[in-house]
């Protein structure tokens, strides 16, 4: 399903920011002894990232958002009290029954009218938040939105003594990405597209063998895909991201070849290669941070964009398309905007 912010007031991506935890973790963290002599560990196609950041045990998601958002708001000259919308997506919520929106607002010193903690849409949640906030701003219900993605499972779930020894624990890294949307035309949001595949929702589970994650007992919480549906998950993930990008491009009347900057979530190098090959996008236009930051889940889109902007990889007038899929493929989304179309 496509749609965007072209009706009503124009919505812009005014700026993005990021925060990365101080602790940097290498591959040696995931082994009890020396690194094994395994060429797959250093494979440029399927090997895990060489580095990633991990949150401190007592660091909360609201603190990560505060550290990312405060300098961004300062650069943009926007007071926290001017934020009308606060949207958050946190992979591991600090509290079981509540999100971190109110806690974040208290740290920032604001009280937004719209405060929504998204607990779905995962690795594609940034594009979904662009869609949601864009709809509210374009229809005149708000003027300024702060979007925040937090990935904090690396230092909490995947660093546990038993879980860290499993191969899939080597991929995730932690970080926070934020963006500010405004009601102007400096960097207009051109449109978004979303794809729901509910039948895949049960293919990813959080739990411990023999009990629900919240029940008392022994064992460590882990994130597990359904092993009987591995090929279906891979096939859906490879297919759905190019499909939703093509759908978006058709809706906003541009060609895939017109994309100047392409940013996706960062599950692994194989997906990254397959997506750009399917779309015919050259590697230099498909930006990624996987090698040094790992799989940042939902935070990958805004964090990678922030790194690209700081590195001069995005120029005024560039067409930026961001896309990704969540969990085992139950959700996918894409968004497009023209960076600094007007100074």
């Amino acid at each position: 399903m496509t749609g965007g912010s072209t009706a009503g007031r124009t919505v812009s991506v005014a700026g993005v920011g990021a925060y990365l935890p101080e602790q940097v973790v290498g591959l040696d963290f995931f082994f009890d002894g020396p690194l094994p002599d395994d060429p797959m560990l250093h494979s440029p196609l399927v090997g895990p990232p060489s580095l990633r950041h991990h949150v401190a045990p007592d660091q909360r998601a609201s603190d990560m958002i505060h550290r990312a958002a405060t300098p961004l708001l300062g650069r943009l000259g926007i007071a926290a009290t001017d934020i009308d919308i606060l949207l958050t997506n946190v992979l591991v919520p600090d509290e079981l029954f509540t999100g971190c929106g109110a806690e974040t607002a208290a740290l920032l010193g604001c009280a937004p009218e719209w405060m929504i903690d998204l607990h779905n849409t995962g690795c594609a949640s940034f594009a979904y938040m662009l869609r949601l906030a864009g709809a509210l701003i374009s229809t005149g219900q708000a003027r300024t939105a702060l979007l925040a993605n937090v990935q904090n499972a690396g230092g909490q779930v995947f660093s546990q003594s038993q879980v860290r020894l499993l191969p899939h624990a080597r991929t995730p890294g932690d970080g926070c990405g934020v963006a500010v949307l405004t009601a102007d035309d400096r960097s207009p949001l051109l449109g978004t597209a979303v794809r729901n595949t509910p039948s895949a929702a049960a293919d990813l589970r959080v739990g411990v063998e023999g009990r629900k994650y919240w029940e008392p007992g022994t064992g460590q919480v882990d994130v597990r895909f359904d092993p009987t549906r591995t090929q279906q998950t891979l096939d859906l993930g490879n297919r759905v991201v190019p499909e939703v990008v093509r759908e978006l491009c058709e809706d906003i009347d541009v060609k895939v070849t017109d994309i100047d900057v392409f940013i996706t979530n960062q599950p692994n190098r194989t997906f990254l290669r397959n997506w750009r090959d399917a779309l015919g996008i050259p590697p230099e236009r498909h930006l990624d941070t996987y090698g040094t930051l790992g799989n940042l889940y939902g935070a990958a889109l805004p964090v990678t964009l922030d790194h690209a902007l700081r590195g001069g990889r995005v120029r005024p007038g560039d067409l930026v398309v961001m896309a990704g899929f969540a969990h085992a493929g139950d959700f996918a989304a894409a968004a497009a905007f023209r960076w600094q179309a007007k100074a």
Side-chain angles (χ1 to χ4, degrees):
M1 181 170 60
T2 55
S5 55
T6 53
R9 291 194 298 185
T10 303
V11 181
S12 279
V13 180
V16 296
Y19 164 77
L20 298 172
E22 294 181 6
Q23 183 183 16
V24 179
V25 175
L27 276 176
D28 57 335
F29 174 81
F30 302 96
F31 297 89
D32 276 341
L35 289 179
D37 186 17
D38 181 357
M40 297 300 286
L41 280 178
H42 306 287
S43 165
L45 181 59
V46 298
S50 58
L51 300 172
R52 78 280 299 135
H53 293 250
H54 275 180
V55 296
D58 59 347
Q59 188 165 31
R60 297 176 71 84
S62 57
D63 172 68
M64 297 175 71
I65 298 172
H66 180 254
R67 288 170 180 254
T70 299
L72 172 60
L73 293 171
R75 291 197 305 270
L76 295 174
I78 295 175
T81 52
D82 291 333
I83 297 172
D84 304 311
I85 303 169
L86 175 60
L87 305 181
T88 69
N89 176 267
V90 179
L91 193 65
V92 183
D94 294 309
E95 304 297 338
L96 185 60
F97 296 111
T98 63
C100 73
E103 190 175 314
T104 298
L107 284 176
L108 291 172
C110 60
E113 181 179 356
W114 297 90
M115 195 154 54
I116 303 172
D117 294 301
L118 300 173
H119 292 301
N120 63 342
T121 67
C123 297
S125 55
F126 184 70
Y128 185 63
M129 288 194 287
L130 288 174
R131 182 184 182 93
L132 178 57
L136 292 171
I137 293 175
S138 68
T139 54
Q141 300 180 72
R143 292 193 58 82
T144 305
L146 175 64
L147 318 182
N149 280 101
V150 175
Q151 149 55 6
N152 56 352
Q156 299 187 95
V157 174
F158 298 110
S159 63
Q160 297 174 95
S161 59
Q162 298 169 19
V163 177
R164 73 177 174 85
L165 302 178
L166 302 174
H168 66 267
R170 304 166 196 164
T171 300
D174 293 332
C176 172
V178 296
V180 168
L181 269 62
T182 50
D184 54 54
D185 59 356
R186 69 179 101 178
S187 296
L189 180 64
L190 303 177
T192 60
V194 300
R195 177 79 60 83
N196 284 294
T197 309
S199 59
D203 294 344
L204 178 66
R205 283 286 181 262
V206 176
V208 184
E209 207 64 51
R211 65 179 174 92
K212 296 179 180 178
Y213 74 91
W214 48 263
E215 292 179 321
T218 59
Q220 297 178 351
V221 174
D222 193 12
V223 179
R224 300 168 181 170
F225 287 90
D226 184 342
T228 69
R229 291 183 53 80
T230 299
Q231 192 58 52
Q232 290 92 330
T233 299
L234 293 174
D235 291 344
L236 179 57
N238 279 317
R239 185 181 73 249
V240 71
V241 171
E243 286 179 352
V244 78
V245 169
R246 292 191 190 98
E247 185 178 341
L248 171 64
C249 288
E250 182 178 354
D251 186 62
I252 63 175
D253 197 25
V254 301
K255 299 176 181 178
V256 171
T257 53
D258 294 332
I259 298 172
D260 298 300
V261 178
F262 184 48
I263 298 175
T264 61
N265 64 310
Q266 315 275 305
N268 56 56
R269 293 187 179 95
T270 304
F271 272 129
L272 295 176
R273 181 202 60 182
N274 291 345
W275 291 337
R276 64 174 172 261
D277 285 354
L279 291 167
I281 294 176
E284 61 270 19
R285 295 188 192 175
H286 185 192
L287 310 184
D288 75 82
T289 50
Y290 180 82
T292 55
L293 301 182
N295 182 1
L296 287 171
Y297 293 81
L301 294 179
V303 169
T304 302
L305 177 58
D306 177 70
H307 278 234
L309 288 168
R310 291 178 182 274
R313 303 285 301 277
V314 185
R315 300 165 299 180
D318 275 353
L319 174 63
V320 180
V321 171
M322 311 179 82
F325 81 104
H327 315 126
D330 58 279
F331 180 78
F337 59 92
R338 184 73 66 176
W339 178 250
Q340 291 184 351
K342 290 190 176 181

